[in-house]
Amino acid sequence: MALLHVNKIGLAIMATVNREKAMTQLRILFFVVLGMALFSTGRLHADADIKPILADARATLTTVAAKGFEWTTTRQLIAAAEVALAAGDKAHSLNLAKAALNEAEKSLLQANYAEAHWQDGMPF
Amino acid sequence: MRSLIVNKKTNLGFALYCLLAFSGFAGADAEQGLDYQSMVQRDINDFKAYYKTRFPKIEFSEYKNGVYAIDADSREQWLEMEDFPPYEFAVDEGEALFAVRFANGKTYADCFANGGEGIRQNYPYFDNKKGQVISLELAINDCRETNGEQPLAYKKGPMAALSAYMASTSAGNVFAVAVANKEAYQAYLEGKKFFYAKRGQLNFSCADCHMLVSGQKLRADITGPALGHPTGFPVYRGKWQEMGTLHRRYAGCNKNIRAMPLPLQGRAYRNLEYFQSVMSQGLEINGPSSRK
Amino acid sequence: MLYFNKKMIKITACLMGLFIGTGIPVLWAESRAVEAGKVLTFDRKKGNCLSCHVIAGGTLMGTTGPPLMMMKLRFPDKEKLYKQVFDARKRNQKTIMPPFGSHAILSKEEVGAVVEYLYTL
């Protein structure tokens, strides 16, 4: 989505200004932004933000797994979040941890719903 | 009898007593004496009726053939494949394995009724002493362990071969899986819940694909009816290029809907197999068979 | 500041892509939300809508759900179509359609792109 979003901006710039000029502008923007991004992400997301979310995701997943309702995707997200954290990519790690927690919670909802409403699935 | 003697003087009292006694008996019945088999029979009737309405032209006995019962196109290819059955090798292998003596001198035949021949239709059954459902594959490993042998893996290989051989000696026998008591009914109910509950990230139940939309196309494939699901297992599946057990298929199905597969021959899958086998009551055993 | 940075990161990522190779930028320059939505709709690991729905131009299509056509007519309110893809259970608890948004099969933005594409059908 980000790609499209930026494409629109890119297209707009390219449409109004000469292509060469636009490319130069974009190149400058690229380095400025890259520098800012590298400089800021480490500070914005400390380990302390990510680890509790990951712990929560793991705990919820354990509960769900005991009910037999774990999704195949959730533990992959947790693993990916851990890899990103170890690699120092904290912004990415935080996103993955949040996604993992969201999935764990949704699968728990599903498990609890199934327990109460499984008869709804009977097509009689 | 006692009520007659005590209450014969007052009609009202008699009537009241009878009412109380009756309701008392009814209450006791719900606790222990319930006829579980007839409760289950109602489920079987509903299940069969559903498919009868959905596929009015298909004979009940045809459901042992899985999706090929309802899909004429793939049935042709399947019949051609069955001319040179890809599972035959597994049957031979299973027969040889079945005859091998354990280190203690015993054989598989010593563990099973009728020497293990023609008994596939009685599995899975509810073992009252163990308080759980015993599938054929579990019984095979039980036999091995009782005789000091290592258990086999449940997915494929020797286990699938043994299962294939034992099914082949039972060809034509009809599924006769009973639910005789409260504990058995509990296990049956767990399997039933599993069958109808939505799970996985894609949020599908077994019934969603194999009842509601059975016969419809999912991409290029048609989902088979759940009625008769277990009759043909183990199967040689084209996609696997080898033999696999029913529980291997369960695990694959779960992965497809992005649900974490549960342990093969764990309680959940055995209860599901129990439910599915009860639903397939009266269908012939025709395993092993081949599937796409 | 946070928002600014996030946006900048996105822009950076995209620009990096723009500068890599020569063929890719051309493709991207031509792409629009509709195109991205079509990719998501057809992708087996993403929308995989063809699994159950017939869509003009598709192959190996399912017949489980209704054909996806004349979507503007059927969903004059685009928001309703978005909600249907995001979580069809809201409209019909017994639906067998996966809740693409609620179960994080697709992100909000991805559901949005799919809807943009569906609206062209």
Side-chain angles (χ1 to χ4, degrees):
Chain A
M1 274 320 86
L3 308 183
L4 293 166
H5 186 62
V6 173
N7 267 334
K8 277 186 192 159
I9 298 171
L11 280 172
I13 297 170
M14 285 181 192
T16 47
V17 197
N18 163 315
R19 190 185 162 88
E20 275 300 308
K21 204 172 165 187
M23 289 302 267
T24 316
Q25 282 181 351
L26 289 176
R27 276 199 190 91
I28 293 164
L29 190 62
F30 162 68
F31 286 113
V32 170
V33 167
L34 187 66
M36 289 179 75
L38 288 174
F39 180 71
S40 61
T41 48
R43 293 190 173 194
L44 279 172
H45 310 297
D47 288 20
D49 296 331
I50 301 165
K51 285 191 171 156
I53 297 173
L54 267 177
D56 200 358
R58 262 189 237 104
T60 311
L61 192 62
T62 306
T63 311
V64 172
K67 291 170 184 277
F69 279 78
E70 182 185 347
W71 298 353
T72 50
T73 41
T74 318
R75 64 170 69 179
Q76 293 168 9
L77 285 170
I78 292 175
E82 277 162 352
V83 168
L85 187 61
D89 192 350
K90 288 174 182 171
H92 191 43
S93 178
L94 184 66
N95 282 338
L96 290 166
K98 281 180 181 167
L101 179 58
N102 178 47
E103 280 201 5
E105 284 169 348
K106 291 291 163 59
S107 54
L108 184 58
L109 273 179
Q110 182 187 52
N112 293 337
Y113 185 85
E115 189 54 44
H117 300 281
W118 63 271
Q119 283 103 330
D120 292 357
M122 297 174 73
F124 305 120
Chain B
M1 285 314 289
R2 196 167 160 257
S3 65
L4 273 173
I5 300 158
V6 174
N7 292 290
K8 60 183 171 187
K9 283 183 181 168
T10 59
N11 282 336
L12 185 70
F14 174 65
L16 257 174
Y17 188 85
C18 282
L19 204 71
L20 281 170
F22 183 74
S23 62
F25 275 123
D29 255 0
E31 286 298 307
Q32 27 179 302
L34 250 175
D35 186 353
Y36 290 100
Q37 192 58 50
S38 47
M39 279 165 70
V40 164
Q41 189 59 47
R42 276 199 289 278
D43 284 359
I44 298 171
N45 295 346
D46 287 346
F47 207 80
K48 280 188 191 171
Y50 178 82
Y51 287 101
K52 190 71 201 163
T53 312
R54 193 165 175 82
F55 307 108
K57 287 181 190 158
I58 309 295
E59 290 290 326
F60 170 68
S61 61
E62 263 297 310
Y63 283 95
K64 68 181 178 189
N65 294 324
V67 72
Y68 309 113
I70 58 168
D71 182 18
D73 289 348
S74 54
R75 187 187 179 96
E76 294 261 314
Q77 296 169 19
W78 173 66
L79 287 174
E80 275 172 31
M81 193 152 68
E82 292 275 314
D83 281 343
F84 299 97
Y87 46 78
E88 209 145 71
F89 178 73
V91 174
D92 294 344
E93 188 195 339
E95 185 172 10
L97 286 171
F98 192 84
V100 172
R101 272 188 195 285
F102 300 134
N104 67 1
K106 298 242 170 126
T107 64
Y108 286 110
D110 297 322
C111 296
F112 293 95
N114 198 35
E117 278 186 33
I119 57 164
R120 172 68 187 88
Q121 70 283 356
N122 302 325
Y123 289 85
Y125 70 92
F126 188 82
D127 186 316
N128 292 320
K129 269 189 216 148
K130 290 179 180 162
Q132 56 178 306
V133 171
I134 307 296
S135 65
L136 181 62
E137 287 80 7
L138 199 80
I140 288 171
N141 264 352
D142 208 35
C143 176
R144 293 181 61 83
E145 289 182 291
T146 309
N147 289 296
E149 301 287 327
Q150 289 292 314
L152 300 169
Y154 285 119
K155 189 176 168 186
K156 54 183 181 178
M159 178 57 84
L162 282 162
S163 173
Y165 167 67
M166 292 180 79
S168 75
T169 67
S170 316
N173 296 351
V174 294
F175 253 124
V177 177
V179 180
N181 55 44
K182 190 178 176 182
E183 290 71 29
Y185 188 76
Q186 273 307 318
Y188 164 85
L189 201 59
E190 284 303 312
K192 187 176 167 184
K193 273 186 198 172
F194 191 106
F195 186 83
Y196 290 113
K198 284 171 178 285
R199 65 185 64 240
Q201 192 184 33
L202 299 187
N203 206 44
F204 290 129
S205 70
C206 306
D208 282 345
C209 292
H210 298 287
M211 292 190 90
L212 269 176
V213 303
S214 64
Q216 295 282 341
K217 276 196 169 175
L218 278 176
R219 282 280 179 182
D221 293 320
I222 286 176
T223 51
L227 184 57
H229 257 164
T231 54
F233 276 84
V235 300
Y236 180 96
R237 192 161 182 246
K239 198 181 159 192
W240 296 334
Q241 292 287 302
E242 61 181 9
M243 296 292 295
T245 57
L246 178 62
H247 288 214
R248 178 185 189 179
R249 191 69 194 90
Y250 282 164
C253 235
N254 275 172
K255 271 190 222 160
N256 287 347
I257 59 166
R258 299 186 192 167
M260 205 65 188
L262 299 173
L264 307 197
Q265 298 300 333
R267 277 189 191 238
Y269 281 176
R270 269 184 286 133
N271 290 341
L272 177 62
E273 181 182 348
Y274 190 41
F275 170 73
Q276 287 217 282
S277 303
V278 171
M279 289 300 105
S280 303
Q281 198 87 305
L283 285 171
E284 283 180 10
I285 298 292
N286 64 343
S289 57
S290 61
R291 293 288 184 271
K292 264 199 283 191
Chain C
M1 190 60 194
L2 179 63
Y3 174 71
F4 179 70
N5 269 329
K6 273 190 176 167
K7 197 166 176 181
M8 282 300 154
I9 295 163
K10 284 179 182 171
I11 292 171
T12 310
C14 294
L15 293 183
M16 281 169 79
L18 269 175
F19 292 124
I20 298 167
T22 50
I24 299 166
V26 176
L27 274 176
W28 279 4
E30 285 170 6
S31 74
R32 293 167 292 138
V34 172
E35 284 299 314
K38 184 175 180 180
V39 170
L40 290 164
T41 300
F42 282 48
D43 187 339
R44 282 170 190 257
K45 295 231 147 102
K46 286 291 189 175
N48 198 15
C49 307
L50 296 178
S51 189
C52 298
H53 300 279
V54 165
I55 299 175
T59 51
L60 299 180
M61 295 176 284
T63 53
T64 303
L68 299 177
M69 56 201 290
M70 299 186 293
M71 299 308 279
K72 248 183 219 173
L73 266 176
R74 286 164 59 194
F75 291 88
D77 181 359
K78 206 193 249 185
E79 184 65 19
K80 276 204 177 133
L81 180 57
Y82 180 90
K83 282 182 178 162
Q84 180 69 10
V85 179
F86 196 87
D87 194 339
R89 295 174 301 183
K90 296 273 151 61
R91 219 162 65 123
N92 168 19
Q93 186 59 53
K94 287 194 174 189
T95 185
I96 67 161
M97 179 156 156
F100 287 93
S102 289
H103 275 198
I105 302 162
L106 298 174
S107 70
K108 281 178 194 161
E109 293 80 1
E110 286 172 332
V111 174
V114 165
V115 168
E116 289 300 326
Y117 168 63
L118 294 182
Y119 233 49
T120 66
L121 297 173

